Amino acid sequence: MILSRQKPAVGGASALVREKEKSKEKKLPKVDDLLTSRDYTGAMTVLEFNKQAGKGEKDTDSWIGFCAFHLGDYKKAYEMYMNLCKQPGCDANMWLNFSCCCFYLGMYKEAEDAALKAPKSSLQNRLLFHLSHKFNDEKRLMTFHKNLQDQFEDQLCLASIHYMRSHYQESIDVYKRILLENREFLALNVYVALCYYKLDYYDVSQEVLAVYLQSYPDSAIAVNLKACNHFKLFNGKAAEAELKHLQEISSSSFSFASELVKHNLVVFRSGEGALQVLPPLIDVIPEARLNLVIYYLRQDDLDEAYGLIKETDPTSPQEYIIKAVVNAALGQERGSREHVKIAQQYFQMFGSSASECDTIPGRQCMASCFFLLKQFDDVLIYLNSIKSYFYNDDVFNFNYAQAKATTGNFKEAEEVFLLVQSEKIKNDYVYLSWLARSYIMNKKARLAWELYLKMETSGESFSLLQMIANDCYKMGQFYISAKAFDVLERLDPNPEYWEGKRGACVGLFQLIIAGQEPRETLREVLMLLRNSTNPQVEYIARVIKKWGKENRVAV
Amino acid sequence: INQHYDESLDVNDSEEVASLYTPTPRKPSPGIVTPERPIERGGPAPPPLNRMSSQQSPSDDLDFDEQEHLGEGQMDRKLSQPPPSGKNIDLNEESEDSDVSSDDEDEDDDNMVGLEGAYDPADYEHLTVSQEIKELFQYITRYTPQSIELEHKLKPFNPDFIPAVGDIDAFLKVPRPDNKPVTLGLTVLDEPCAKQSDPTVLDLQLRSISKTSGVRAMQVRSVKDADRNPKAIDTWVESMADLHRSKPPPNVHYSKSMPEIDHLMQEWPREVEELLQKISLPTAQLDCDLPKYCDIICSLLDIPVYKNRIQSLHVLFSLYSAFKQMQHFQTDNVQE
């Protein structure tokens, strides 16, 4: 038996709900309430409704502009304020509002013109301060810097300039100082978290961010930052889950930061949908261009990658790294010394910078720089220091093994080469030739020979053959050396190949006498010799046969 | 496949190969096999794990043009620092080249000696063989194997995708028109809340409350990618249902007298019911025009038709709606 039923069985719940809603919806929503809850879409709808109904007041347009601006609909705000500025007898301060919209729309020249039409004020100074930063005008930047006053807005504005200029610690100092006396300024925690994120302190960022999220769990900016921290600390999946949650709790008319979210979803899904999402975001979100380049790099589309990045002058660390990588890939592909040189310089600038010299990418850059300079001892110093992070990384192992082999450590080179899984790398001539050399130096010439046999006949296979013939000779691996010289001689009847083959055959004979090769190989020595038409063949064969007879080896 | 060790070799092919690729080792100077950089620094120290205090070394040649773009700032300081462990990178191309060639000469003689496990004729001097064979052995050292330089290829590492976090509030914001102070960006981030009103729904609500509808045309929005956005559609349907529920039910005043719906809902006479077991009511397939069909159906259901069919049809559909809402018929439907 249930004595506590609340929903009436007859009459229906809908009647109850209807009553509730009636009381709720009968009154007109107040603009002020909507503004307090930051429901700018709602506020704007009410304002526009009133305006249409002829109940608008004289500053209704100004309010609509305010709402549009804080909603992030800068285009609409721009239009509203433009009309307001055109009206006769408008307040000159209106130009500042217009200037703010221009600023967010990336129309910096218009923003400056508009700001200068307004009387002096702290907002005007802040605008001009940021605009000088955009124009790279250091002198004016300093002037406006001096005009900043000891008030929250000005100090926070300064902190944001520090952030824009990658001086994150300075920003944090400003925020912490203000926070110390104004605990209620919760938003500053997010700013601090953003700085820590940029400084790669993702766990600290996460901690500071939590303070804000506790009060505002639906903040798009904060949730996005949390997702990015998760991406760095864990993986794309964890990050995606955060953004998904944000999409679930937000209403369909909520579009603030939607570009950021779309962009980051591509990032978190390792580039999925990059071609649909990223191109329109180029020069809107600074990272979009770089991510598209990274996407093309991963697709081995060097032309597209280079086309996107060639015009940009690197300023951020990521830009340096990506320009370096594109130039390195392109330079080696095209054999362009110019590109390689640029790559090497950018690698060095990034890798030797104070902030990056101890990071993994920083060391990857230094190793790459030295690799391009062919200073392989130095390559190894850097790669050794980060190798534990890249045990299964084909690209890393490919470079690492080359450096090992070049510095003479063929044993480890062979091991590392064999860790490579990618078929593309394994069919690369550089891989094949260095692995073959490592085999030979490790006295496994037969494995090198097998690599050669598996290759299609080409200029590269001919080069490999020469390398095998000569390297084996050096290492006293005369059996394979003789076989290789034999093929070389038949491909190109050059007397030098005969000399190599003659020496290798005699060397093999010596090994047989020393008991280091099976005596049955003697028959093959004679066969190899007889492939040549040189008159010396007969004499050498006679001596060898004679020894065979004396030692009872069937030939 | 290079299985051309046996005699079956295509001669044309081989000539082609040979002519296209003149053997590289013919050059008198052999390349580098194990390039050891001339030691100009005291042994490479591996980079320590903590911040490396970079030895100051003259690195004026690190002055790249690019630094100018950075302005004076941290990046400058960062990038003009010499590489860790104080190594000098020679950025001068010429000297790099001369470095390499001097390396070549250095290694020319110790090429064979330096190689671990290289062939050494001395290892075989102890073999007791005839003079004839001993002479033959000299052929081994008569050929000097070429040192073949292999190309290197740096596969640049794959940079990770970079998430975007956006910038920090710069306090470049429009003030309230009434100039009341705002705490946007201080106590709360200056961003709209996630639960924004739906402008269309709100507009309809405003119309229904203020009773000023008809002032202007409605703005009709559409749902983007509706097939992939069921949430938006559900929300819309729900809010519309709410809106209409809160409205008073519409009243229609008939100009001519119409029977009560309850009256119309009464059972048919027994004979009709029995007949309907055998034949069904005429469907819309009936060969007549629509007005005629309406008249037939209305008369079947005892709905009077006057000059204007609209009002009769309204009664017809109200009747249908009443039946539909009856529990009795709903369960019937389920059973069917």
Side-chain angles (χ1 to χ4, degrees):
Chain A
M1 212 185 267
I2 296 171
L3 301 178
S4 52
R5 177 170 182 143
Q6 292 215 329
K7 182 177 148 194
V10 183
S14 59
L16 201 78
V17 175
R18 210 177 295 166
E19 268 322 297
K20 259 193 198 162
E21 277 171 3
K22 252 183 202 160
S23 61
K24 195 171 71 188
E25 288 177 13
K26 268 289 160 166
K27 23 183 200 311
L28 275 165
K30 279 211 186 92
V31 175
D32 247 8
D33 295 341
L34 292 167
L35 286 179
T36 311
S37 59
R38 286 173 296 124
D39 179 358
Y40 299 112
T41 315
M44 215 149 76
T45 310
V46 175
L47 286 164
E48 265 166 2
F49 181 84
N50 288 343
K51 188 177 158 187
Q52 295 290 335
K55 287 190 289 187
E57 286 155 41
K58 72 177 193 329
D59 56 356
T60 299
D61 279 352
S62 195
W63 276 109
I64 293 175
F66 174 85
C67 291
F69 180 87
H70 289 278
L71 186 61
D73 188 350
Y74 301 115
K75 220 168 143 224
K76 170 150 192 175
Y78 168 89
E79 281 157 13
M80 294 308 295
Y81 286 124
M82 183 154 64
N83 284 331
L84 284 167
C85 285
K86 275 186 199 153
Q87 277 169 17
C90 99
D91 182 356
N93 275 314
M94 198 58 84
W95 285 105
L96 284 181
N97 298 345
F98 181 64
S99 176
C100 286
C101 299
C102 293
F103 184 89
Y104 281 97
L105 290 168
M107 299 149 71
Y108 299 125
K109 191 79 200 77
E110 290 91 329
E112 188 185 31
D113 292 346
L116 290 172
K117 283 183 193 159
K120 271 194 190 331
S121 68
S122 62
L123 174 58
Q124 184 203 43
N125 186 58
R126 291 199 297 272
L127 268 165
L128 295 172
F129 182 50
H130 262 272
L131 285 166
S132 325
H133 168 71
K134 294 282 177 210
F135 296 138
N136 279 320
D137 189 339
E138 288 293 309
K139 239 173 92 189
R140 290 187 68 205
L141 187 84
M142 292 320 289
T143 319
F144 297 121
H145 184 183
K146 273 185 213 132
N147 292 343
L148 291 176
Q149 288 157 7
D150 191 16
Q151 50 162 312
F152 294 135
E153 284 89 348
D154 280 8
Q155 289 308 306
L156 292 167
C157 179
L158 175 63
S160 83
I161 281 274
H162 284 314
Y163 178 88
M164 300 297 287
R165 292 163 69 96
S166 313
H167 301 178
Y168 305 115
Q169 194 53 56
E170 283 91 332
S171 306
I172 294 176
D173 292 344
V174 174
Y175 294 130
K176 287 204 165 161
R177 204 181 61 232
I178 297 177
L179 258 177
L180 214 59
E181 288 170 12
N182 303 277
R183 286 266 151 228
E184 74 280 12
F185 286 178
L186 284 177
L188 270 60
N189 289 298
V190 181
Y191 309 151
V192 173
L194 279 162
C195 294
Y196 279 126
Y197 172 85
K198 290 282 185 176
L199 288 168
D200 295 348
Y201 293 122
Y202 307 114
D203 37 4
V204 183
S205 170
Q206 200 73 323
E207 238 170 76
V208 184
L209 188 63
V211 179
Y212 187 79
L213 277 170
Q214 217 165 24
S215 304
Y216 298 100
D218 69 341
S219 159
I221 294 173
V223 171
N224 180 58
L225 177 57
K226 188 179 175 191
C228 294
N229 277 324
H230 276 201
F231 179 65
K232 296 283 188 177
L233 289 169
F234 313 115
N235 52 41
K237 231 176 168 177
E240 197 184 329
E242 289 299 323
L243 288 190
K244 279 259 161 9
H245 176 66
L246 176 68
Q247 286 180 326
E248 269 162 32
I249 57 173
S250 50
S251 55
S252 57
S253 51
F254 177 79
S255 62
F256 184 80
S258 65
E259 286 168 341
L260 213 56
V261 169
K262 264 195 276 177
H263 170 271
N264 285 346
L265 279 175
V266 172
V267 169
F268 298 155
R269 292 171 183 160
S270 329
E272 195 188 304
L275 292 180
Q276 289 79 48
V277 175
L278 297 184
L281 296 180
I282 284 178
D283 293 333
V284 176
I285 294 175
E287 288 85 353
R289 179 187 295 274
L290 301 178
N291 284 323
L292 195 55
V293 174
I294 294 171
Y295 176 80
Y296 281 129
L297 277 175
R298 293 188 175 195
Q299 307 292 315
D300 276 322
D301 194 338
L302 286 180
D303 285 317
E304 288 286 349
Y306 183 66
L308 273 172
I309 199 92
K310 67 176 174 203
E311 300 294 337
T312 33
D313 279 323
T315 49
S316 73
Q318 278 97 355
E319 282 168 342
Y320 274 93
I321 251 189
I322 287 165
K323 271 212 104 152
V325 166
V326 173
N327 276 292
L330 199 69
Q332 294 190 111
E333 183 102 331
R334 307 274 156 83
S336 150
R337 238 181 126 66
E338 195 48 41
H339 285 304
V340 170
K341 203 162 154 25
I342 292 171
Q344 172 243 307
Q345 286 175 359
Y346 284 151
F347 274 135
Q348 195 207 347
M349 287 173 103
F350 181 85
S352 61
S353 68
S355 61
E356 300 297 339
C357 65
D358 294 330
T359 63
I360 293 171
R363 299 213 170 158
Q364 284 178 301
C365 282
M366 284 316 281
S368 305
C369 168
F370 284 118
F371 197 109
L372 295 175
L373 286 168
K374 305 214 182 296
Q375 300 180 10
F376 291 99
D377 287 323
D378 297 326
V379 172
L380 283 178
I381 292 173
Y382 283 94
L383 291 186
N384 278 330
S385 75
I386 53 169
K387 71 173 172 197
S388 52
Y389 300 95
F390 293 98
Y391 181 76
N392 276 325
D393 189 303
D394 282 350
V395 170
F396 180 89
N397 286 331
F398 178 62
N399 297 330
Y400 190 46
Q402 284 180 70
K404 289 244 177 222
T406 311
T407 52
N409 190 346
F410 292 105
K411 202 168 162 310
E412 284 177 31
E414 180 190 323
E415 282 166 18
V416 178
F417 271 128
L418 293 177
L419 288 176
V420 173
Q421 296 295 314
S422 150
E423 284 304 316
K424 192 162 176 268
I425 295 180
K426 279 157 102 175
N427 288 319
D428 193 313
Y429 179 64
V430 173
Y431 176 88
L432 288 168
S433 58
W434 279 104
L435 176 60
R437 171 163 284 171
S438 303
Y439 278 145
I440 295 165
M441 296 304 161
N442 296 331
K443 307 257 179 180
K444 296 172 183 168
R446 268 163 219 269
L447 292 176
W449 184 248
E450 274 165 27
L451 286 182
Y452 163 74
L453 290 179
K454 271 186 231 149
M455 271 178 95
E456 298 289 327
T457 307
S458 66
E460 284 180 346
S461 76
F462 189 76
S463 303
L464 186 69
L465 203 55
Q466 287 181 324
M467 192 277 282
I468 290 175
N470 283 290
D471 276 17
C472 284
Y473 203 101
K474 270 187 220 166
M475 297 306 291
Q477 308 257 294
F478 291 115
Y479 179 57
I480 299 299
S481 178
K483 280 167 87 94
F485 273 121
D486 180 55
V487 179
L488 282 171
E489 193 192 20
R490 281 189 279 160
L491 291 170
D492 177 12
N494 187 312
E496 207 168 320
Y497 292 139
W498 158 246
E499 282 170 35
K501 179 166 139 184
R502 182 185 63 192
C505 285
V506 175
L508 182 54
F509 180 42
Q510 191 180 55
L511 293 177
I512 293 168
I513 296 174
Q516 289 172 13
E517 287 277 356
R519 294 187 161 197
E520 296 77 61
T521 319
L522 208 57
R523 190 197 298 265
E524 239 175 298
V525 178
L526 292 170
M527 258 167 54
L528 286 168
L529 279 171
R530 284 184 180 136
N531 283 340
S532 302
T533 50
N534 194 291
Q536 287 176 312
V537 169
E538 265 322 298
Y539 171 70
I540 300 169
R542 208 167 57 234
V543 177
I544 291 173
K545 267 204 272 187
K546 196 173 148 203
W547 181 86
K549 221 176 208 170
E550 283 164 10
N551 291 277
R552 275 177 240 121
V553 182
V555 288
Chain B
I1 299 286
N2 274 313
Q3 304 275 12
H4 47 204
Y5 181 60
D6 52 20
E7 302 297 325
S8 63
L9 196 73
D10 191 341
V11 183
N12 273 344
D13 220 38
S14 69
E15 267 171 11
E16 231 177 81
V17 169
S19 59
L20 265 175
Y21 300 91
T22 28
T24 39
R26 298 277 164 255
K27 282 180 283 173
S29 78
I32 330 165
V33 177
T34 52
E36 276 167 53
R37 282 177 3 96
I39 295 158
E40 54 194 352
R41 56 195 156 77
L49 285 170
N50 296 324
R51 295 260 151 193
M52 280 167 278
S53 63
S54 38
Q55 291 164 240
Q56 281 301 320
S57 54
S59 56
D60 291 348
D61 47 351
L62 282 178
D63 210 272
F64 302 124
D65 291 348
E66 281 72 19
Q67 286 185 4
E68 282 168 19
H69 299 291
L70 302 168
E72 51 161 332
Q74 204 174 319
M75 284 297 281
D76 264 42
R77 279 182 273 128
K78 280 182 194 169
L79 293 173
S80 55
Q81 277 191 348
S85 70
K87 266 169 244 136
N88 253 329
I89 300 181
D90 206 338
L91 295 170
N92 192 322
E93 238 174 275
E94 281 81 8
S95 78
E96 189 207 315
D97 282 350
S98 65
D99 249 354
V100 170
S101 57
S102 71
D103 275 2
D104 284 1
E105 285 151 33
D106 286 351
E107 271 146 37
D108 221 354
D109 25 15
D110 53 20
N111 227 344
M112 292 285 282
V113 188
L115 223 52
E116 197 195 327
Y119 174 74
D120 184 358
D123 293 347
Y124 300 92
E125 266 166 17
H126 66 279
L127 292 178
T128 45
V129 287
S130 64
Q131 189 55 33
E132 215 174 15
I133 292 176
K134 267 208 173 110
E135 274 165 25
L136 211 56
F137 281 174
Q138 282 169 13
Y139 281 128
I140 301 174
T141 43
R142 204 165 297 169
Y143 176 77
T144 312
Q146 305 288 329
S147 284
I148 293 172
E149 193 177 350
L150 295 182
E151 297 235 337
H152 291 96
K153 188 190 269 178
L154 170 69
K155 274 226 176 281
F157 56 94
N158 276 328
D160 284 333
F161 283 108
I162 310 155
V165 291
D167 295 318
I168 289 184
D169 196 329
F171 285 81
L172 308 174
K173 50 188 69 176
V174 305
R176 281 171 66 110
D178 56 9
N179 283 320
K180 277 194 196 151
V182 286
T183 54
L184 292 172
L186 296 172
T187 55
V188 59
L189 289 173
D190 186 3
E191 62 179 348
C193 72
K195 290 244 181 296
Q196 297 288 302
S197 302
D198 185 312
T200 317
V201 175
L202 184 59
D203 192 73
L204 287 169
Q205 282 173 353
L206 290 168
R207 280 158 191 266
S208 93
I209 298 166
S210 67
K211 304 217 165 40
T212 51
S213 55
V215 173
R216 61 174 169 146
M218 273 280 298
Q219 259 187 14
V220 181
R221 292 187 319 136
S222 58
V223 177
K224 251 199 234 166
D225 302 326
D227 51 334
R228 271 176 286 156
N229 206 348
K231 191 186 142 200
I233 296 170
D234 288 348
T235 319
W236 172 255
V237 170
E238 203 176 292
S239 49
M240 281 304 105
D242 281 353
L243 185 72
H244 288 300
R245 230 180 284 141
S246 67
K247 273 185 185 171
N251 278 323
V252 177
H253 301 284
Y254 302 116
S255 52
K256 299 272 168 91
S257 68
M258 287 288 177
E260 289 290 315
I261 297 292
D262 281 346
H263 181 77
L264 291 173
M265 284 172 84
Q266 280 177 9
E267 281 179 43
W268 260 311
R270 202 185 160 81
E271 305 87 76
V272 180
E273 290 278 359
E274 273 168 8
L275 188 65
L276 280 176
Q277 300 283 329
K278 290 173 201 139
I279 59 161
S280 57
L281 290 171
T283 66
Q285 255 68 51
L286 201 66
D287 186 18
C288 67
D289 58 8
L290 185 61
K292 195 84 198 159
Y293 184 68
C294 291
D295 295 346
I296 295 169
I297 294 298
C298 284
S299 63
L300 271 171
L301 296 170
D302 288 344
I303 300 170
V305 178
Y306 302 97
K307 259 184 201 158
N308 189 343
R309 283 189 193 84
I310 301 287
Q311 292 185 3
S312 306
L313 283 173
H314 187 270
V315 178
L316 172 67
F317 288 121
S318 302
L319 178 63
Y320 176 76
S321 166
F323 271 120
K324 209 171 169 229
Q325 276 174 20
M326 262 181 74
Q327 221 134 40
H328 175 69
F329 287 95
Q330 276 170 3
T331 44
D332 258 18
N333 279 343
V334 171
Q335 276 163 7
E336 270 169 29

